[in-house]
Amino acid sequence: ADPEILNDHLYEPTPPSQISSLPPVAVRLARSRCENLRNVEKAIGYKFKEPFYLLEALTHASFNDIDTCYQRLEFLGDAVLDALMVFHIYEQKPHYDQGQMTDLLSSLVCNTTLSKVCTKLELHRSLLYDSVELYNVLARFFMNFEDDQLNEWCNDLSLERVFVDSVESDTPDRIPVLNLESKVVQAPKLLGDLTESVIGAIYLDCGEDILRVWEVIWPWFEPFYTAFSENIPKNPKAMINELYPGLRRMTESYPGDHYKFIATVTIAKRDEDNKVSKYDFKTVGRDRETAMEVSYGRALHFHKKYLVAM
């Protein structure tokens, strides 16, 4: 193939925001909405040349007045963030092996870390949406915190994916089934998605200048990087699998509702008298992966509280 033709194909001009191709009425509405995003630009430390990118990054599919959605930018931002963190870890941690690099990367780009970044930057406050279900998800989450507690959570670098207070009822005598529809135990995935979509928006707005993106987002992640580098966190699933190689895990449909799942993690511990005790952690949710992650998180909390000394 002709190199010049190949390069022309690979390096096309930066694609515009999808908002630009909407009907004129929607474009005018979008332009007026952009005036309300100055506080977001100040919070993230970046001023957009084309605010439509930022508006698209903060528009949910349920907001029908502007027929666009943040998900494409989320997809892009996820890849950009991964690439930047991989480069940084590889260059700054030459003594790390592949497993350590993977664990550090996972900690930096997991939903818990991204949700804390989103909340600290208050990106969710500028989200455009028209969904009662989404409102309830966000309200149930933020109602768990007083203002000082929310700030404390944002600055907490322990990477607890499952809130401790949600598993206080798990005891050796009774481990109840946990329904995620009635109990908030994790940060909503939407918060992490918004962080990634804004990163995608910055990447496009600055002309796909990857170094400029890094300059903007590094302050968001530096505290986490510093803390996690000193003590690389492992996710609950990896830790429990290492502690209990013979554990049993299972996901099954919820009786009477095929849109819900029961995720079960079973661990077994042998005591000093050679007696084996089994503990089942069952979590019900509409997303099987989330339900399984919560079950693993509960098992890890339980292990630390009750089994580590056995």
Side-chain angles (χ1 to χ4, degrees), residues 190-259:
L190 170 73
L191 299 179
D193 291 347
L194 290 180
T195 298
E196 291 176 330
S197 66
V198 169
I199 291 173
I202 295 171
Y203 175 72
L204 293 180
D205 188 73
C206 69
E208 303 173 57
D209 184 344
I210 200 80
L211 296 180
R212 178 67 181 116
V213 177
W214 181 249
E215 289 176 357
V216 176
I217 72 170
W218 173 239
W220 309 353
F221 291 94
E222 184 177 11
F224 298 99
Y225 179 85
T226 301
F228 297 161
S229 296
E230 294 174 357
N231 184 20
I232 304 176
K234 288 188 176 181
N235 66 57
K237 179 179 179 180
M239 293 182 70
I240 288 296
N241 284 339
E242 289 179 7
L243 290 165
Y244 301 95
L247 68 77
R248 182 176 65 91
R249 53 171 288 172
M250 178 177 61
T251 305
E252 56 189 331
S253 296
Y254 188 80
D257 188 343
H258 293 295
Y259 292 100

Side-chain angles (χ1 to χ4, degrees), residues 6 15 25 48 57 64 99 198 216 261 274 285 306:
L6 181 62
V25 173
F48 279 79
N64 295 322
V198 169
V216 176
F261 302 92
N274 211 31
Y306 297 108

Side-chain angles (χ1 to χ4, degrees), residues 10-285:
L10 291 176
Y11 298 101
E12 294 180 354
T14 301
S17 167
Q18 290 189 313
I19 294 176
S20 303
S21 61
L22 296 178
V25 173
V27 171
R28 286 195 297 271
L29 174 62
R31 187 69 67 185
S32 67
R33 290 280 185 173
C34 289
E35 296 300 320
N36 300 324
L37 299 179
R38 302 306 179 195
N39 60 323
V40 179
E41 293 179 321
K42 184 177 180 181
I44 66 178
Y46 179 84
K47 183 173 178 59
F48 279 79
K49 296 184 285 292
E50 175 48 87
F52 278 173
Y53 287 123
L54 180 57
L55 186 67
E56 181 181 338
L58 296 173
T59 301
H60 189 262
S62 62
F63 192 74
N64 295 322
D65 291 345
I66 301 176
D67 188 18
T68 189
C69 177
Y70 66 80
Q71 290 178 330
R72 283 176 57 85
L73 287 176
E74 174 210 338
F75 172 82
L76 177 63
D78 173 67
V80 170
L81 177 60
D82 273 6
L84 285 170
M85 288 301 176
V86 166
F87 293 151
H88 190 70
I89 292 170
Y90 189 84
E91 292 174 354
Q92 297 298 317
K93 303 296 180 183
H95 56 290
Y96 277 14
D97 59 29
Q98 181 184 7
Q100 290 172 307
M101 290 191 292
T102 299
D103 288 338
L104 180 55
L105 175 65
S106 298
S107 301
L108 290 166
V109 301
C110 73
N111 187 62
T112 301
T113 300
L114 295 177
S115 295
K116 289 180 178 180
V117 171
C118 174
T119 305
K120 197 166 187 176
L121 297 174
E122 298 188 334
L123 301 178
H124 58 286
R125 293 184 178 274
S126 297
L127 177 66
L128 298 178
Y129 68 97
D130 187 14
S131 166
V132 174
E133 181 179 358
L134 180 55
Y135 172 84
N136 289 334
V137 167
L138 293 173
R140 285 201 304 268
F141 173 71
F142 286 109
M143 284 173 59
N144 282 324
F145 303 97
E146 301 292 341
D147 287 340
D148 56 338
Q149 292 177 324
L150 187 60
N151 291 331
E152 183 179 339
W153 177 74
C154 288
N155 294 312
D156 176 30
L157 304 176
S158 65
L159 199 65
E160 291 288 355
R161 288 176 168 84
V162 179
F163 299 135
V164 176
D165 63 351
S166 70
V167 294
E168 285 181 345
S169 57
D170 291 345
T171 67
D173 297 325
R174 180 177 180 273
I175 304 177
V177 176
L178 180 63
N179 192 328
L180 297 183
E181 292 188 347
S182 59
K183 183 69 175 178
V184 177
V185 299
Q186 288 182 308
K189 185 177 181 298
L190 170 73
L191 299 179
D193 291 347
L194 290 180
T195 298
E196 291 176 330
S197 66
V198 169
I199 291 173
I202 295 171
Y203 175 72
L204 293 180
D205 188 73
C206 69
E208 303 173 57
D209 184 344
I210 200 80
L211 296 180
R212 178 67 181 116
V213 177
W214 181 249
E215 289 176 357
V216 176
I217 72 170
W218 173 239
W220 309 353
F221 291 94
E222 184 177 11
F224 298 99
Y225 179 85
T226 301
F228 297 161
S229 296
E230 294 174 357
N231 184 20
I232 304 176
K234 288 188 176 181
N235 66 57
K237 179 179 179 180
M239 293 182 70
I240 288 296
N241 284 339
E242 289 179 7
L243 290 165
Y244 301 95
L247 68 77
R248 182 176 65 91
R249 53 171 288 172
M250 178 177 61
T251 305
E252 56 189 331
S253 296
Y254 188 80
D257 188 343
H258 293 295
Y259 292 100
K260 289 171 36 174
F261 302 92
I262 305 175
T264 304
V265 171
T266 302
I267 60 177
K269 187 75 171 181
R270 190 182 301 273
D271 62 19
E272 295 177 351
D273 298 326
N274 211 31
K275 178 183 177 182
V276 176
S277 299
K278 292 185 178 181
Y279 306 97
D280 293 324
F281 302 89
K282 295 179 181 289
T283 305
V284 178

Side-chain angles (χ1 to χ4, degrees), residues 298-309:
R298 294 170 64 196
L300 181 59
H301 278 289
F302 189 89
H303 165 82
K304 291 178 178 179
K305 189 172 183 179
Y306 297 108
L307 304 181
V308 72

